[in-house]
Amino acid sequence: MNSLIGPVLQCLVLIISRLAITSDSLHIPRLSPIRSGMFRSLQSEALSAFDPSEYETFYYNQTLDHFNFRPDSFSTFQQKYVINSKYWGGSNISAPIFAYLGAEVSLDSVISYTGFLPENANQFQALLIYIQHRYYGESIPFGSRTEAFQNASTLGYFNSAQALADYAEILVHVKTQLNAEHSPVIVIGGSYGGMLASWFRLKYPHIALGALASSAPILYFDDIIPPENGYLSIVTKDFREASETCYQTIKQSWSEIDTIASMPDGLSNLSKIFRTCSPLRTAHHLKYSLQLMYTRAAQFDDPSTNPVNVICSGIDGAASLTNDTLAKIFAGLVAIEGNRSCYLSIAPSSSSTNALPSNANDETSEGWSWQACSEMVMPVFAVGNNTMFQPYSFDVQSYINNCKAQYGVPSRPNWITTYYGGHDIKLTLYRFASNIIFSNGLRDPYSSGRVLQNISDSLVAVYTKNGSHCLDLVPSNPSTDPDWLINQRKIEVEIIKGWMTTYYAALQTFKS
């Protein structure tokens, strides 16, 4: 739980630079709900109540390719899932199943951090099941990560449609094993997992009664969201609401970094100013790291920690000591990171501006890099002139070319909207969808790609003005949770209860 990488650790953010599309831009911010360090809500009471003995681990012999009948498609791998049956009322009363759809992180880092499931299991008498996404954690095809990630031929089975089919197979398997044919399933996910939950309800309505899709930016594809209303516009709004002077200082800092970097010994001086853990070789990597800090703070701007305010307090507090813009920026860095011997350990791994930060090779980043290149093409960091960041235009053809150079296959930027929909989303969902909760916090930059209006009685948008990324899913804390967050969770529970009531009535009708 100490890593920033995780699920409800994954709502982690890796930033695309304003410079021409580099390999950094292949790392679209990972989508997930987990916090850590200063970005982690004070949920210690709930987390300390987590009892690992209540959870049992299983492995399902999963099909490699659900959509092909070639002989090699019938190869299998071991897919991990975890069950908590402590609260389950049993199949004899068709008690429900809450299924957490794992996303781009190891399942082990998810379970203790998704408080919504165990905290509501008792009142629903629900069975809890957590399913690992293929190619993450221990659910690796081809026997090892080395083999699975060796080239596009083995990575070709790594996509959202295959993942949804995996979940379907496992849920059918578990229900069969438990003789729970009529137990309704509610799928739950946060961020990318939230997208998967909404898409699962659309593609497998016979398996899932409903879906809770938390902070799911299902519209961030195919140019649906214009840059002026996008991710970085909300980051900017969060900082500007915290402090106008802080916003102006950050906005001014980028050109000052460029100016110093262009001077003799400029990069060396920037390394000294920011006390970097490794010598800077490009200004790009410094700006990348600072953008990461700001966007991560905005995405996880929880009421118990308020990292945006912490950064701005550091920046504004330094104004009484200096007029130096970069000294103020460094003060904001110290405020959020604490006193350390060095900062910004995301250092370039080579002198090239195309070099990835040295910590971008962990297994989660490796998997998300492929997903971002293949189908999850989200121009999150395209930005106009209305933010505190330098303007950047997303060049989709350059992006495709970079992905092809890295993996040998081009991106498919239009595939998500083709397969799941996205354009005219209200009309589309109204015509053929039901029983989905789209929950959001408006301080979350990803809420820019969200559904924020009720579409029908059962397609419901639940959002809070001051909420952050996947905040409704993390463990509750009665001593710190504001009333609006408590109410958001209650509303979601009541909606699910309504689905259950309707389902059980229909079950009695059609069984009689």
Side-chain angles (χ1 to χ4, degrees):
M1 299 299 298
N2 291 328
S3 169
L4 279 172
I5 297 168
V8 209
L9 268 177
Q10 291 158 348
C11 280
L12 262 187
V13 184
L14 293 173
I15 303 304
I16 293 179
S17 164
R18 67 167 281 276
L19 300 179
I21 296 181
T22 69
S23 55
D24 287 343
S25 68
L26 304 186
H27 287 259
I28 292 169
R30 291 199 300 270
L31 298 130
S32 153
I34 298 181
R35 285 98 166 123
S36 72
M38 187 61 202
F39 302 101
R40 176 171 169 177
S41 298
L42 300 177
Q43 307 294 339
S44 56
E45 295 176 18
L47 290 172
S48 64
F50 172 71
D51 184 358
S53 66
E54 297 176 359
Y55 296 81
E56 188 175 1
T57 299
F58 299 87
Y59 294 89
Y60 179 71
N61 206 32
Q62 187 61 265
T63 305
L64 176 63
D65 184 1
H66 298 283
F67 306 108
N68 200 307
F69 286 85
R70 288 167 49 91
D72 55 342
S73 298
F74 291 89
S75 299
T76 60
F77 66 96
Q78 295 295 292
Q79 186 163 12
K80 181 177 179 178
Y81 65 98
V82 176
I83 287 180
N84 181 341
S85 57
K86 176 181 178 179
Y87 307 99
W88 195 41
S91 59
N92 59 323
I93 62 168
S94 298
I97 297 171
F98 287 175
Y100 186 88
L101 305 186
E104 77 283 19
V105 71
S106 170
L107 199 61
D108 293 337
S109 61
V110 176
I111 296 173
S112 65
Y113 215 83
T114 48
F116 186 90
L117 281 77
E119 290 174 7
N120 292 293
N122 190 39
Q123 64 175 308
F124 283 95
Q125 295 184 279
L127 179 79
L128 307 181
I129 179 171
Y130 305 76
I131 310 175
Q132 176 69 69
H133 193 296
R134 61 168 54 200
Y135 285 81
Y136 290 109
E138 299 172 55
S139 302
I140 306 295
F142 301 104
S144 70
R145 293 197 64 82
T146 301
E147 291 296 316
F149 284 78
Q150 65 177 322
N151 55 47
S153 293
T154 51
L155 284 167
Y157 304 98
F158 185 3
N159 58 64
S160 60
Q162 296 281 10
L164 295 183
D166 290 343
Y167 301 143
E169 269 209 27
I170 289 177
L171 287 170
V172 169
H173 167 75
V174 169
K175 292 181 73 172
T176 300
Q177 293 293 107
L178 298 175
N179 296 312
E181 177 186 357
H182 296 297
S183 289
V185 174
I186 304 297
V187 291
I188 298 167
S191 207
Y192 169 52
M195 289 194 279
L196 293 173
S198 66
W199 293 336
F200 191 90
R201 169 61 184 165
L202 297 178
K203 295 295 186 181
Y204 297 93
H206 55 292
I207 295 177
L209 171 65
L212 170 56
S214 177
S215 298
I218 61 170
L219 304 183
Y220 232 123
F221 299 94
D222 211 6
D223 297 325
I224 295 175
I225 305 300
E228 59 269 21
N229 298 326
Y231 186 100
L232 291 181
S233 68
I234 294 184
V235 175
T236 299
K237 180 178 71 70
D238 290 350
F239 274 85
R240 197 165 194 175
E241 288 177 351
S243 166
E244 177 69 23
T245 55
C246 174
Y247 153 79
Q248 293 291 350
T249 301
I250 294 170
K251 188 173 184 178
Q252 182 181 347
S253 68
W254 310 115
S255 60
E256 296 206 14
I257 290 172
D258 288 334
T259 298
I260 294 175
S262 67
M263 297 177 179
D265 297 322
L267 291 174
S268 176
N269 289 333
L270 287 172
S271 294
K272 292 175 183 177
I273 291 170
F274 288 94
R275 208 186 304 170
T276 61
C277 296
S278 300
L280 288 168
R281 296 178 182 175
T282 69
H284 161 70
H285 286 95
L286 172 60
K287 292 189 287 187
Y288 176 98
S289 299
L290 291 172
Q291 287 177 359
L292 172 61
M293 176 179 71
Y294 300 137
T295 56
R296 191 170 61 203
Q299 188 161 322
F300 300 108
D301 196 29
D302 297 354
S304 60
T305 54
N306 290 124
V308 170
N309 286 349
V310 170
I311 292 173
C312 282
S313 293
I315 290 174
D316 290 343
S320 62
L321 304 174
T322 180
N323 289 323
D324 187 326
T325 297
L326 297 191
K328 296 176 188 177
I329 296 297
F330 180 67
L333 175 62
V334 174
I336 196 69
E337 295 286 350
N339 291 317
R340 296 170 50 184
S341 59
C342 67
Y343 297 87
L344 304 179
S345 58
I346 302 180
S349 55
S350 79
S351 59
S352 170
T353 58
N354 289 327
L356 284 172
S358 58
N359 72 339
N361 294 319
D362 61 273
E363 65 180 49
T364 301
S365 292
E366 186 179 25
W368 188 245
S369 177
W370 163 261
Q371 290 194 265
C373 256
S374 54
E375 64 174 354
M376 302 298 292
V377 181
M378 305 169 67
V380 169
F381 295 110
V383 58
N385 296 313
N386 61 334
T387 77
M388 65 185 191
F389 301 95
Q390 291 176 306
Y392 163 74
S393 296
F394 182 78
D395 185 336
V396 66
Q397 191 56 54
S398 294
Y399 188 91
I400 292 171
N401 293 342
N402 273 281
C403 288
K404 188 171 184 178
Q406 182 165 341
Y407 293 107
V409 292
S411 306
R412 299 177 67 183
N414 310 115
W415 177 242
I416 290 293
T417 56
T418 300
Y419 192 67
Y420 299 111
H423 296 284
D424 295 322
I425 192 66
K426 295 177 186 177
L427 176 61
T428 301
L429 291 178
Y430 181 82
R431 290 174 55 229
F432 69 88
S434 64
N435 291 8
I436 303 174
I437 301 169
F438 294 101
S439 69
N440 283 280
L442 299 189
R443 293 188 69 80
D444 172 20
Y446 270 121
S447 67
S448 56
R450 73 300 191 214
V451 175
L452 282 181
Q453 292 181 335
N454 293 348
I455 298 172
S456 70
D457 290 343
S458 67
L459 292 168
V460 183
V462 179
Y463 63 86
T464 54
K465 178 181 177 181
N466 296 316
S468 59
H469 199 58
C470 306
L471 189 58
D472 55 331
L473 293 188
V474 303
S476 63
N477 190 329
S479 64
T480 61
D481 286 347
D483 290 342
W484 51 260
L485 176 58
I486 295 171
N487 188 53
Q488 180 184 20
R489 292 174 175 142
K490 285 182 177 178
I491 291 172
E492 292 166 2
V493 168
E494 290 305 311
I495 292 170
I496 294 171
K497 285 181 178 178
W499 297 344
M500 295 289 185
T501 299
T502 301
Y503 170 79
Y504 287 123
L507 182 62
Q508 289 301 315
T509 298
F510 289 102
K511 284 180 66 177
S512 59

